[in-house]
Each structure stands twice: as C-alpha cells, then as structure tokens.
Amino acid sequence: MSKEDGFYLALSGALVWGAATLFYAAFAGGLIEQAFWFYALNAALATAALTFFFHVTARLRHLSQRRRPLAAITFAAPGVFGAALVILNFQALMPHLPPESLGRYGAFVVVAYSALLALCLERPAKTA
C-alpha cells in the first residue's frame, strides 16, 4: 500500500467517522436513544455505511484483497483515535446528552470498527 493510498484511506475514514459522530451528537438525545430497536437499527446502518465507504475507497485505490486488512486499519485509525478523544471529553463535547450515552457511543464505535475489520479479514470466495 502506497503512502497516497494510506492518505486517502485515512482521510476517508476521518470524514466518515466525523459525519457519524456529528449525526450521533445531533440526534442521539431526541431520536436515536429513545428506543432500543431504533438505536440498534441506527448502529447497523452506520456500520453498513462505514463498511460501504471503506470498500468504495479501497476499490477506487485499486487495492488487492490481501492488502485490505492493513487498509482497514488505516481507514479505522482516525476514527478510533477521534472516538477516544470524544469519550475522554464526552461531557464537554456533548453536554446535552445523559451520562449513559457515553457507554452507548463507545459501544457503537467498538461494534462498527470490529465489524469493518472482521469483514476485511474474510477470505474471498474461490472462483471455479
């Protein structure tokens, strides 16, 4: 993987994480956390979007399947570090949310990036 590939993957990952975090900050208190089923649906859709944007970026950069795990780590790194900063400063950054939202946000981040890495570690099907 070239430095240019790493730059675009990291930039794309940071943008997707930023958009998901801003959406969570804007709608968590009034919409997302009102019912468990809606929270679970939102987490699934956000994870699907994260994975979709990773695959789009990887395909646009013409990365082979065997380079995808490193690419996924590069894509996820800005979001993981950004989420860690948000978690450390949760009350200052999202004062309108209740304290239990901190755990929900952390769980969302862990599930989303775990799913991304798990999908990238999956071996491609052999063609006949």
Side-chain angles (χ1 to χ4, degrees):
M1 190 170 75
S2 71
K3 290 179 183 178
E4 187 177 337
D5 291 337
F7 171 77
Y8 285 114
L9 284 162
L11 178 64
S12 178
L15 291 174
V16 171
W17 167 80
T21 299
L22 289 174
F23 181 81
Y24 189 87
F27 298 107
L31 182 64
I32 295 173
E33 295 182 359
Q34 293 301 314
F36 174 76
W37 67 268
F38 193 72
Y39 177 78
L41 176 66
N42 182 62
L45 290 173
T47 300
L50 181 82
T51 305
F52 173 77
F53 282 107
F54 166 74
H55 283 291
V56 166
T57 305
R59 286 183 188 238
L60 288 174
R61 301 303 307 163
H62 303 290
L63 295 175
S64 66
Q65 187 69 30
R66 70 184 171 110
R67 293 189 178 165
R68 298 275 169 99
L70 178 60
I73 292 170
T74 305
F75 181 86
V80 170
F81 290 124
L85 292 174
V86 168
I87 288 170
L88 289 173
N89 300 305
F90 193 78
Q91 286 301 319
L93 295 173
M94 300 184 196
H96 61 284
L97 295 178
E100 58 269 13
S101 293
L102 171 64
R104 293 177 185 141
Y105 176 76
F108 161 72
V109 170
V110 169
V111 167
Y113 287 114
S114 297
L116 172 68
L117 293 175
L119 289 172
C120 290
L121 293 175
E122 182 181 3
R123 292 180 180 226
K126 293 184 180 183
T127 57

